[in-house]
Amino acid sequence: MEKFLFPISWVLLCCCWTTHAEVFTSIGQMTDLLYTEKELVQSLREYIKAEESKLATVKSWASKLDALTRASTSDPEGYLAHPVNAYKLMKRLNTEWSELESLVLQNPSDGFIANMSVHRQYFPDEEDQTGAARALMRLQDTYHLDSEAFSKGKLPGVHSNTVLTVDDCFDMGKTAYNDADYYHAVLWFQQSLKQLDDGEEAVVSKADILDYLSYSVYQMGDLPRAVELTRRLVAIDPAHDRAGGNLRYFERLLSKQLNEMEQADQPATEEPIQLGTYSRPKDHLPEREAYESLCRGEGIQMTEARRSRLFCRYQDGDRNPRLLLKPMKEADEWDSPHIVRYLEMLSDEEIEKIKELAKPRLARATVRDPKTGVLTTANYRVSKSAWLEGEEDVIIERVNQRIEDITGLTVETAELLQVANYGVGGQYEPHFDFSRKDEPDAFKRLGTGNRLATFLNYMSDVEAGGATVFPDFGAAIYPKKGTAVFWYNLFKSGEGDYRTRHAACPVLVGSKWVSNKWIHERGQEFRRPCGLTEVD
């Protein structure tokens, strides 16, 4: 029986990742890498200058000695008959050639290598690069962007000269391939092949691209195209290790498939593979389609009837002394469940101070394990976060007090202010902020009951993407710097409001900074009394 072979990277599947602990998921931290790279470029230029200076000196010596040796070797005895020439020969060989040897042995790269060594500890690793590639694929899926749009830097509302080369696209495909994600692998290998066919230069060969692409297409169940691509591979590289065997294998499978369907052999379609050629595989998220549609601004259920029930008002917190002279501007974002936005919640000064305090301690964002109550990282939340206490700075204390004044709820039992920064493709898939009945221990360690309400501060504008969406009732709320949104996660009865399942859409362009205050049940008994029914 003939053995079927596949591209070697398939073996890497056994090493698939489980979590990515220190992926650069924060634009705030990635900006530091730009300055690091700038410093390394300067160091590289200094190294090049030193090498050029060294080489210029050596060239000067070579030119001088070349002329000298031509003259001396044309009449050696006559040349050495002159005592000065004899002396200078002794001096050159004893002293000057030794100096030249020392010059050649000098290594101007030492400074550059030392600088590299200092900064290397902060460099992204293979895991970070893989995470960034997955982020691009996540954006590709959510915002229906084809691989060519990415490769040419054509993103919605953005004009950029940033492009992906043939090799970049091939590496994107390899990342997906090694995850057994053949859907994305096909898209990126196809784009790599297209750019190569268009005449772009590359390190990767056409044979390598066809090898990976044909197998990925086969995995997507498209045997006619797998046969056609493998024939192209055999045509350009008849001695390829796997191509001949794979071609016979694909042809045999295709013949069997056509016989079973009682169809004649038909050539593969000439249509190029693009977004929509193959169906995207289903995943763990039941509302994936609704969630991503809302992220694109599609399917928002804001009708004229609903809009007519939304109002703006001044909120003085039931005549709270701190709000009497300057009440908060409150605007309805949604009627049921009631979601409000507060304008001018945070000043630019407060935002910068919060970011300043958070940046040094940003770490991969965590979620609370519903079974154990322990904070842990999760692949469906891609951002970096930090927790700030009120005692750390007067501004944090002031913000906490303002939240209490506006909502009328005590923050004594609330969680610390969580600051999050979403980077490349940063997102938080649909989730509940409160714990459900099958998660009784989620907040047990805190001893403050369930998460009653969410107060979400937007600390930056986002050029594209990054909306907060509610798939259950079709709402999308867009980030606006300095504003905040607030909603209750629980009914007055203490029962969870399952309509509040929400998500942070992937950031397409920009940097998204937010801060959350999760307000808990304890201490609210007289501030938000129980209702008479389960859904009051």
Side-chain angles (χ1 to χ4, degrees), residues 380-497:
Y380 56 82
R381 187 176 193 188
V382 185
S383 66
K384 286 206 168 183
S385 65
W387 300 82
L388 303 180
E389 297 190 42
E391 295 78 11
E392 293 184 52
D393 192 275
V394 65
I395 283 182
I396 306 301
E397 190 174 353
R398 186 195 307 161
V399 170
N400 287 339
Q401 182 63 59
R402 191 175 302 148
I403 293 172
E404 179 168 315
D405 293 341
I406 294 168
T407 63
L409 302 172
T410 181
V411 295
E412 289 298 316
T413 56
E415 294 174 48
L416 301 181
L417 188 70
Q418 186 198 47
V419 182
N421 182 215
Y422 293 83
V424 180
Q427 64 161 2
Y428 193 174
E429 289 183 353
H431 62 281
F432 298 103
D433 280 352
F434 64 92
S435 67
R436 275 72 68 212
K437 289 181 178 178
D438 59 344
E439 305 166 347
D441 297 331
F443 302 112
K444 188 175 181 180
R445 292 187 176 202
L446 300 180
T448 54
N450 210 341
R451 283 177 174 167
L452 173 68
T454 296
F455 198 99
L456 173 61
N457 296 300
Y458 293 118
M459 302 199 301
S460 66
D461 294 314
V462 180
E463 287 97 311
T468 304
V469 298
F470 295 78
D472 186 81
F473 49 89
I477 298 174
Y478 297 94
K480 182 171 176 56
K481 185 179 180 181
T483 70
V485 291
F486 172 77
W487 67 85
Y488 282 102
N489 298 305
L490 307 179
F491 291 110
K492 288 184 177 181
S493 62
E495 292 295 320
D497 187 345

Side-chain angles (χ1 to χ4, degrees), residues 151-361:
S151 71
K152 293 184 177 179
K154 294 180 179 178
L155 300 181
V158 178
H159 301 284
S160 171
N161 295 323
T162 303
V163 297
L164 292 174
T165 64
V166 170
D167 297 299
D168 291 333
C169 293
F170 181 73
D171 287 340
M172 286 285 293
K174 286 275 291 287
T175 296
Y177 184 94
N178 292 336
D179 282 345
D181 176 7
Y182 300 108
Y183 170 77
H184 288 106
V186 166
L187 294 174
W188 286 102
F189 288 142
Q190 172 67 34
Q191 183 60 30
S192 181
L193 182 63
K194 180 181 183 298
Q195 291 179 210
L196 192 67
D197 286 342
D198 288 344
E200 187 177 316
E201 293 185 0
V203 174
V204 65
S205 68
K206 181 178 286 190
D208 281 342
I209 299 174
L210 287 169
D211 186 19
Y212 279 93
L213 178 57
S214 60
Y215 181 75
S216 299
V217 164
Y218 156 71
Q219 285 289 345
M220 292 302 295
D222 190 347
L223 280 170
R225 203 186 296 260
V227 168
E228 186 267 333
L229 289 167
T230 311
R231 283 174 180 165
R232 286 180 62 185
L233 173 56
V234 170
I236 62 174
D237 188 0
H240 192 278
D241 290 342
R242 293 175 294 276
N246 286 359
L247 179 58
R248 289 187 291 274
Y249 180 80
F250 293 153
E251 288 176 334
R252 191 162 59 249
L253 285 180
L254 180 59
S255 177
K256 181 181 177 182
Q257 184 184 86
L258 292 172
N259 287 336
E260 289 174 353
M261 299 172 63
E262 298 182 353
Q263 290 183 358
D265 188 8
Q266 294 181 347
T269 175
E270 295 295 322
E271 288 293 318
I273 301 168
Q274 55 192 356
L275 207 65
T277 298
Y278 302 121
S279 297
R280 180 177 159 200
K282 300 292 183 183
D283 67 4
H284 65 281
L285 200 61
E287 68 264 68
R288 170 73 65 189
E289 190 174 332
Y291 151 56
E292 293 183 348
S293 292
L294 288 170
C295 290
R296 294 190 298 272
E298 302 167 6
I300 298 174
Q301 302 300 312
M302 179 57 75
T303 62
E304 285 304 315
R306 171 166 283 122
R307 197 184 305 277
S308 69
R309 296 192 292 270
L310 305 182
F311 299 95
C312 299
R313 64 192 69 81
Y314 284 104
Q315 167 67 272
D316 64 8
D318 275 342
R319 299 190 60 77
N320 185 295
R322 282 179 288 269
L323 294 176
L324 279 176
L325 292 179
K326 189 182 179 183
M328 187 62 62
K329 297 173 183 176
E330 181 183 276
D332 293 331
E333 285 281 349
W334 208 259
D335 56 345
S336 182
H338 194 204
I339 303 174
V340 297
R341 186 192 294 261
Y342 295 106
L343 283 63
E344 300 174 6
M345 168 62 196
L346 297 177
S347 67
D348 288 348
E349 177 195 0
E350 289 169 333
I351 288 172
E352 290 310 309
K353 186 61 181 180
I354 292 171
K355 287 164 66 174
E356 177 189 324
L357 292 169
K359 276 183 180 179
R361 56 183 102 166

